[in-house]
Amino acid sequence: RVRPLTCTETRRGDQRVVHSLGDGTVHVSAARQNATFGFSAVFDAGASQETVFEGSGMRQLVELAIDGFSCTVFAFGQTGSGKTYTLMGPLTQTQTQLAAPGLLGLMQRSFACLLEQTQSCGSDLVLSASYLEIYNEQVRDLLSPGPPCALPLRWSKTRGFYVENQLSVDFESLETIANLLQQGSQRRRTSAHALNRHSSRSHALLTIHIRSRAHHLPMWLPQPSTYPSKQGTLCFVDLAGSERVKETGSSGELSVEANNINRSLLALGHCISLLAKPRGKRTHIPYRDSKLTRLLARSLGDSGITLMIACISPSSRCLSETLSTLHYASRAQRVTTRP
Ligand code: ADP
Ligand code: MG
């Protein structure tokens, strides 16, 4: 998704170097750089939030999650490229101030779609949500009250990687889940204020768990001891900005942050590169290299269905970051899974 030039970019006369040709390709052209990339969908600056929701396959992803699949959508790109805008819409200043409905992001649209389906299913679905962030390789709960504290990330044979003691909140209405998102994001932003704009320095993961209660069998049939049920997940990932990845000269806190983002985004890129190889040539996938890849192991690996949204700025000043994002996305595109 190419965002529009911002006011600042327009004012200082930045050139547009990214153009969508309208056939699923995006063309980057600058003085000595010329490259065309093809994707399953390309959204230009004029694309509305609605268009992105309908054209990206997000609706189908929600339906697959209801059907019991592990679905993930992640937004990737440098800081300021539109990741949060795409997922959540423009950020409002206060909790009471709501974004215009037309500007709501993929998350709120997915919640609405999910609850619509739930209601039409006669409420046989049980929904719950958890909301975490990974900051400096520490996992924190964004839903539990009180100051953020680090939670341990564990592995078990039955559950795979999981976060111990993470809060999972049941919800039945659009209002409740919208509030949870709002509160969690607020918590992420409040600490961001104190901690050097860390919201763009942290990865945020909101996961919806969808359990469906199976219908009881008629009385005259033999009753199984446990009822079969489906359990799907829908995970939204707002990744930290990628731009400081190469910057190793920074000092102190920034350097620690940069190294951690560096490590996790590189680990993610590495896993994606290995997963993109033909199945027979795949080697061991090093999910354990970072907390991010551990938490995303299920969605990246064999059984998940993943939608990746690469967010880019059209400005000439962002050229090298834009190219690196597009290369990253091209690699991700080659990953195949067996959901
Ligand atoms: P990121 O989360 O990648 O750091 P943001 O989502 O915060 O970036 O976007 C940066 C700025 O650009 C914000 O002010 C946001 O409102 C604006 N913006 C991003 N994408 C769009 C878009 N598609 N249309 C209009 N404004 C956008
Ligand atoms: Mg953001």
Side-chain angles (χ1 to χ4, degrees), residues 78-85 88 91 188 197 199-202 238-241:
Q78 76 180 113
T79 300
S81 59
K83 299 181 293 294
T84 304
Y85 184 94
M88 295 196 256
L91 293 176
R188 188 182 178 206
R197 282 211 329 124
S199 80
S200 57
R201 318 271 81 210
S202 78
D238 191 358
L239 289 176

Side-chain angles (χ1 to χ4, degrees), residues 92-111:
T92 52
Q93 294 312 307
T94 63
Q95 218 162 329
T96 44
Q97 198 182 337
L98 292 173
L103 297 182
L104 291 174
L106 290 182
M107 293 174 87
Q108 295 95 336
R109 286 169 201 274
S110 301
F111 300 160

